Amino acid sequence: MDAKKILFIAQEITPYLPESEIATICRNLPQGIQERGREIRTFMPKFGNINERRNQLHEVIRLSGMNLIIDDTDHPLIIKVASIQAARMQVYFIDNEDFFQRKHTVSDEEGNEYEDNDDRSIFYVRGVLETVKKLRWIPDVIHCHGWISALTALYIKRMYADDPCLKNAKIVYSIYNDDFKTPLRKELAQKLKTDGAKDSDLKGIKTDTSFVGLTKLAIDMADGVIQGSETINQDVLDYIATKKDTPFLPYQSPETYMDAFNEFYDVVLDSK
């Protein structure tokens, strides 16, 4: 078993958020992978509708207190943690008053997606990576779930390319049927360039900040791609087919995905 340490970067996890395809997989998968002998760490955003008292979240003071600059503004990074006792696993939460103290996750009660979802995604991804560095924990494979984690591979391969904790990690991106309807703000490419992305990385996202554009960027930078939902956006599926050199795992049923993902991590780690 080559990939001994797996980092999970999730958009949602049950029981902290209501059950959904992503939330259920991101609850069960880390436990299953841990039970198969690998070491895991798991992260999700601390959305405002997560009940901290009921779920017994508490702040990790030694990890909190850093500021992340996004679009010339300082945003304090708060790290919280909770335990899923039955699974003997911890979940780390990325929190910040500006981005995550709202009553909903990615859209308001009317279903309108938050205008600053681009900044929230950047803050979340950078927050996870900075926390992993502080933990001095070196993942072999990083498995990202949900579009809020789509920028992870770009950040690792450009902004963290020299970081001893992260530079050798392989990135697996799971694509779900969780399209957002309103494109992210057109300034996204410039923000990513300011953070260290290359113009060649951003060709697509400069003109297309939709779910498809963001997912294509994630696919371009990933070392392995998984079809997480039985049906996903057809444009995305067609794009995956053009990436002959990137290992791809088609949709796996709830009965088979655990072992299939577990094997796929080693396939990705062994690929160029």
Side-chain angles (χ1 to χ4, degrees):
M1 191 158 65
D2 299 317
K4 294 182 175 63
K5 295 182 176 179
I6 315 292
L7 171 63
F8 295 97
I9 305 182
Q11 186 159 314
E12 50 200 70
I13 301 173
T14 185
Y16 306 110
L17 290 172
E19 285 197 15
S20 68
E21 189 170 42
I22 297 180
T24 303
I25 287 174
C26 291
R27 158 63 184 87
N28 296 325
L29 179 62
Q31 178 182 355
I33 295 304
Q34 183 170 259
E35 288 168 354
R36 283 160 177 76
R38 304 189 200 254
E39 202 180 316
I40 59 130
R41 293 283 186 279
T42 306
F43 283 81
M44 70 175 286
K46 214 303 279 167
F47 291 116
N49 53 343
I50 295 172
N51 187 313
E52 292 197 38
R53 187 177 296 168
R54 187 170 66 232
N55 292 299
Q56 298 185 319
L57 272 67
H58 59 270
E59 186 176 346
V60 186
I61 303 296
R62 70 186 175 89
L63 298 175
S64 296
M66 188 187 307
N67 277 358
L68 301 182
I69 299 170
I70 295 173
D71 212 13
D72 295 331
T73 306
D74 269 4
H75 299 278
L77 173 62
I78 307 297
I79 309 300
K80 293 174 178 168
V81 72
S83 294
I84 299 178
Q85 301 293 354
R88 293 215 303 243
M89 71 182 219
Q90 289 185 315
V91 177
Y92 291 92
F93 295 84
I94 299 295
D95 199 3
N96 169 269
E97 199 169 320
D98 304 324
F99 294 135
F100 295 119
Q101 295 299 325
R102 303 170 193 180
K103 288 186 180 148
H104 301 274
T105 53
V106 296
S107 51
D108 63 23
E109 57 260 20
E110 266 101 54
N112 304 307
E113 282 135 1
Y114 293 122
E115 188 186 22
D116 63 349
N117 274 346
D118 55 343
D119 288 354
R120 297 170 90 212
S121 173
I122 290 170
F123 183 86
Y124 176 53
V125 167
R126 285 182 55 195
V128 171
L129 299 180
E130 289 296 336
T131 305
V132 169
K133 281 173 58 179
K134 273 199 171 180
L135 288 167
R136 292 200 175 89
W137 193 76
I138 303 176
D140 298 304
V141 172
I142 299 174
H143 190 172
C144 302
H145 300 261
W147 61 259
I148 205 164
S149 68
L151 298 170
T152 303
L154 175 69
Y155 270 87
I156 285 178
K157 290 183 177 173
R158 296 295 179 254
M159 302 67 157
Y160 293 86
D162 298 323
D163 186 272
C165 278
L166 297 165
K167 65 181 182 181
N168 295 320
K170 297 282 187 148
I171 322 302
V172 173
Y173 188 64
S174 274
I175 300 166
Y176 294 91
N177 185 17
D178 67 330
D179 304 30
F180 51 85
K181 306 301 176 264
T182 308
L184 301 175
R185 292 178 290 193
K186 60 182 184 297
E187 296 83 12
L188 175 60
Q190 186 53 48
K191 291 172 192 174
L192 296 174
K193 189 175 177 183
T194 302
D195 273 0
K198 298 177 180 176
D199 277 321
S200 56
D201 304 327
L202 303 172
K203 273 190 218 142
I205 205 81
K206 277 180 180 170
T207 54
D208 182 8
T209 56
S210 70
F211 173 83
V212 171
L214 182 67
T215 306
K216 285 180 177 178
L217 174 61
I219 292 166
D220 285 344
M221 305 304 291
D223 301 295
V225 175
I226 293 175
Q227 181 178 334
S229 297
E230 192 165 3
T231 54
I232 61 171
N233 184 291
Q234 190 59 47
D235 287 349
V236 168
L237 209 48
D238 293 344
Y239 192 71
I240 293 168
T242 68
K243 298 286 174 180
K244 303 293 184 204
D245 295 333
T246 304
F248 172 61
L249 185 67
Y251 174 73
Q252 303 291 312
S253 73
E255 295 75 44
T256 62
Y257 79 81
M258 199 82 70
D259 286 324
F261 288 11
N262 193 43
E263 289 166 17
F264 190 65
Y265 298 146
D266 289 329
V267 170
V268 172
L269 197 66
D270 291 340
S271 64
K272 289 179 184 173

